[in-house]
Amino acid sequence: MTRADLHDISAEVMTSTPLRPKLLGWQPERVVLTRGCDASPPQQIYCERLIAAFPEAEVIDRRDVPHNRLSVPGDTQRDRLKWGKATLVLGSIGRPLHINRDPEARHGVLCAPYLAYHTSWFCFYDCAYCYLAGSPGVKFSPTVRIFTNVGDVLAQMFCTLEQQPGPVGFYSGKVQDGLQLDPITNSSRILIPALVEQPNARLIYLTKSAAVENLLELARVGQAAGQRGTSQAGRLRYDDIVVTWSLNADEIVRTMERGTASLRERLTAAARCKEAGYEV
């Protein structure tokens, strides 16, 4: 695929695929436009559709600043977090992929380097133990962010696949919940169809949500197309798409993972993905 093809895939989903905000269980109080969010016609249309999806939210134009320099009010960090988690920021990311090398590794933390990708940043869950809330990339502006230049993310993935001789795993879940925002980003509908046909690509989600409707629909459509002989989808390896859940006891979910899917909801979502052919 050419770079133009990849951007066409992204543009079609962003401008025509239905948004399902009710599946989030969350309503932002404000939507903030930041630099680059509407740099192309498809991005502009997507921003307009997303604003329409949350008609009660205040719309703030801050296209004079990038997404990570939006100042957040509050006397304490807790106040700033409360404001930020009620704020949906639309922006553009300049570095959608990076190899994670945790600096704490030299202090005995063993976390192998991996390739993280970003179609969003931070999340609206309120986990008591969240390390992201105090991390440099979030502490200044602890807002829920969606990046509208998903075509650039996908193009960078393909560039990486061309440069790497072996399997490449693309991981979502370091600085966001991997699936939390998927009902309104539809990023899985952009990335999975493009990457599932690449023999050396693996897409890994880490989540506490149960927002798997897009994944299940993609698998059904792909399998049906393969059975009709209208595509190669029948031979696609959906087990190269990996969905992982972190699990806790119900009491911990209720008291320390506020806003997340329940233990039963996570296990049910995992079972449905497994049945659809994904690796869980």
Side-chain angles (χ1 to χ4, degrees), residues 49-110:
R49 297 179 69 216
L50 201 51
I51 290 171
F54 298 108
E56 297 181 3
E58 176 188 7
V59 179
I60 301 173
D61 187 350
R62 286 305 312 274
R63 284 174 286 185
D64 58 316
V65 298
H67 66 89
N68 58 347
R69 302 309 300 170
L70 178 71
S71 60
V72 172
D75 295 331
T76 67
Q77 184 63 10
R78 185 61 189 171
D79 291 338
R80 298 174 71 251
L81 275 170
K82 183 178 180 180
W83 193 93
K85 285 180 177 287
T87 304
L88 180 61
V89 171
L90 306 182
S92 176
I93 187 168
R95 188 185 175 195
L97 299 180
H98 78 272
I99 297 178
N100 179 73
R101 293 187 176 91
D102 285 326
E104 296 86 356
R106 62 180 179 273
H107 300 299
V109 177
L110 302 180

Side-chain angles (χ1 to χ4, degrees), residues 192-243:
I192 290 178
L195 293 174
V196 77
E197 297 192 27
Q198 307 304 311
N200 59 331
R202 286 173 70 82
L203 196 62
I204 302 105
Y205 294 101
L206 174 61
T207 185
K208 291 186 179 74
S209 80
V212 297
E213 287 77 7
N214 277 338
L215 274 64
L216 300 177
E217 291 173 10
L218 285 168
R220 284 195 295 268
V221 171
Q223 291 163 3
Q227 291 169 0
R228 292 194 304 268
T230 56
S231 77
Q232 296 181 347
R235 296 189 294 275
L236 299 182
R237 290 179 52 83
Y238 279 85
D239 57 356
D240 281 340
I241 311 298
V242 185
V243 196

